[in-house]
Amino acid sequence: MSLFSIRMRRGCWPHSALHALFGVFLCTCNTVLLNSACSISIRCLSHLVNSLLEIGPHTSLPYRATGSRTDWNILSQILMFLLMCVTSMHSCQASERCVNTVGSFVCERTVTCPAGFQLRNQVCEDIDECMVRSHNCGQRFECENTEGSFLCNPKQRCLTGFTQDSHGNCIDINECSSLSDPCSAGFHCINTVGSYTCQRKVIMCSQGYHSSPDGTRCIDVDECQTGNHGCGEGQICHNLPGSYRCDCQTGYLYDALRQVCSDVNECWSYPGRLCAQTCENSPGSYQCSCTAGFSLAFDGKNCEDLNECDSSPCGQECANIYGSYQCYCRQGFYLKEDGHTCEDIDECSQSIGNLCVFQCVNIPGSYQCACPPNGYTMSTTGHTCRDIDECTTGVHNCSTEQTCSNVQGGYRCLSFSCPPYYRKVSDTRCERSGCPANSVDCQTSPLRITYYQLSFQINIVIPTQIFRIGPSPAYRGDNIAISITHGNEENYFSTRKLNSFTGAVYLQRQVTQPRDFLIDVEMKLLRQGAFTTFLARIYVFITSNTL
């Protein structure tokens, strides 16, 4: 490289500029302090850079310079490096270093590797000390590389209880000092060759004490806990240092004569003050109890009434009373001798009067009256039966030619037909309309036939008048005669003349069961010297009693 000179501004070096710049560059690269030979002030460097920029390699100014274009380029780059990197006119951090580039600079991270590592491509890599032989293992050891370091492993193994020193020799391990608590409490450790032994510590304690588990001190013996005491029944053992004391339990008193604890009978000592009802003494205490019908209260002293009804002791109803209870039964039941069970009352068999007119049916706790299955219905009273008038209600099976006649407990279908030579003048009456001239029977037959219906019960009083017959109207001088011409074959009925124009029919024989009769009662009327016959055809129905 050729040297050239530049006319420096006032205050700068009088030496050759290129020589000065190379001196500064070398000082910077060797990272030493600038000495007097390369001490260029920052102000002079700034002036020098500006002068180079102004003059250039082709500038013919009064400030002439000598040298080639290459010299100028090198000089410019050195000046830019010095100005930017050396003068710290850059933005690199403390952990970075400045690297000059053409016309500029770059900042590179400074990597510091710890011991055992080396920097390669900005990465810290482990140093294999065993391979590069930078370890200090002896001849009896083998080098083993580790991350960032190495190990020296002995080539010869030692027996259990021994370890190797730095020279590879097997030496005894003192387990008593190297192990944490090698022996249990109460023993001390004695090291032996390749092992160790534990020997119990010996300590002498006075009566009432024993050595601690570690054998270093004497501790009190709790005779109460171990049971090694002389306290008797009813006494409490209290441990003392080196001894114990026997006290009487609550509810006991010490008997100095017998030297025992005797039970206190609290029920005798405090009569009537401990329990509300019954006091029962127990060893060391007492217990309160209650009589039947009471339960012990929460305080254990008073008695509360026990509601026995909660346990349902009665068959039906229960009434709690103080200290007891009472069972009772609902209507229609009676309480049995056991005082708990209820039995049904059979009102039908035990009643004094007749509860029902027809039939009484007993049911649990009561009874019901029943009527015959046909012809009756129960009345509103529930005790009597009312006859059903089938003829009125239309629940009969009589034909249109028949007439429905209601009777007690049923009905009858009657036919009111007229015989020959009679005409029907009403539902129940037929009159003779005319007879042949040669028919004496027709001319002597009744002038009028009238139908009647009578109904009686079997309990009717005998004899009794059931029917009256007579002319209507009646005149002075009339005289009648009556008789039963048909239907009285068993002689249940009879007739009687009450006066000259009135006759009666009587039931003279008791009918014991329901029965129907059809009787013909004939009345002969003598009026003004002539006889006229009338016929009453009577249906007599004897029914059962009224229900």
Side-chain angles (χ1 to χ4, degrees), residues 375 387-388 390-391 405-412 455 516 541 543:
D387 175 59
I388 298 175
E390 294 85 355
C391 300
S405 177
N406 184 66
V407 296
Q408 188 73 21
Y411 66 94
R412 302 292 186 270
S455 180
D516 296 343
F541 304 115
T543 64

Side-chain angles (χ1 to χ4, degrees), residues 1-5 16 18-19 22 66-72 74:
M1 181 181 295
S2 61
L3 300 177
F4 61 91
S5 61
S16 171
L18 185 59
H19 176 76
F22 272 113
T66 61
S68 63
R69 179 179 301 274
T70 304
D71 295 334
W72 280 103
I74 295 173

Side-chain angles (χ1 to χ4, degrees), residues 196 359 443 526:
Y196 69 96
Q359 184 181 8
Q443 293 176 0
L526 177 61

Side-chain angles (χ1 to χ4, degrees), residues 394-449:
V395 291
H396 59 82
N397 58 358
C398 299
S399 64
T400 55
E401 291 80 12
Q402 293 176 324
T403 299
C404 179
S405 177
N406 184 66
V407 296
Q408 188 73 21
Y411 66 94
R412 302 292 186 270
C413 295
L414 305 179
S415 179
F416 299 145
S417 59
C418 296
Y421 307 115
Y422 285 84
R423 63 184 179 88
K424 197 169 189 178
V425 296
S426 69
D427 291 340
T428 60
R429 182 174 297 176
C430 299
E431 290 185 353
R432 195 176 62 199
S433 60
C435 295
N438 58 352
S439 178
V440 178
D441 292 337
C442 178
Q443 293 176 0
T444 58
S445 62
L447 179 64
R448 183 182 299 135
I449 300 175

